[in-house]
Amino acid sequence: MVRPMLSPEERERGCRLGARLRQARGSRSMVDVAADAGIPVETLRKIETGRIATPAFFTVAALAQALDLALDSLAADVAVSPRQIPIATTA
């Protein structure tokens, strides 16, 4: 199965997610946070750098728990603002 290409908005949202997680991690090491979340440190590295723009829900949930972040707050922090959503027009 071929995965469709991500839109620029999806890639940007992935970058915002990575930046938000990096900010929440603070001075904690990637190794410690990844271990607390039960994920490989390389996965955390890829998410933080935007190389995994759409991580699995359970990965995000585990990271949010390890970083003491509320999922709804995290989602709001990385959501696409209404002015970024293209408006479809019909002819």
Side-chain angles (χ1 to χ4, degrees):
M1 180 170 132
V2 176
R3 184 175 177 168
M5 297 272 303
L6 296 176
S7 70
E9 292 82 15
E10 289 169 319
R11 286 192 300 274
E12 177 59 31
R13 185 178 56 217
C15 288
R16 285 194 307 272
L17 173 64
R20 180 64 184 98
L21 293 173
R22 172 63 188 97
Q23 177 187 33
R25 186 166 58 82
S27 63
R28 291 178 64 190
S29 75
M30 284 184 141
V31 173
D32 288 341
V33 172
D36 287 349
I39 65 169
V41 70
E42 188 59 23
T43 298
L44 177 56
R45 181 176 289 110
K46 288 178 181 178
I47 293 169
E48 284 191 1
T49 60
R51 288 177 35 217
I52 297 178
T54 57
F57 171 77
F58 291 104
T59 300
V60 175
L63 285 166
Q65 183 175 18
L67 294 168
D68 198 27
L69 294 172
L71 277 176
D72 58 345
S73 174
L74 181 59
D77 288 347
V78 303
V80 175
S81 69
R83 65 182 178 343
Q84 293 175 311
I85 300 172
I87 298 172
T89 57
T90 58

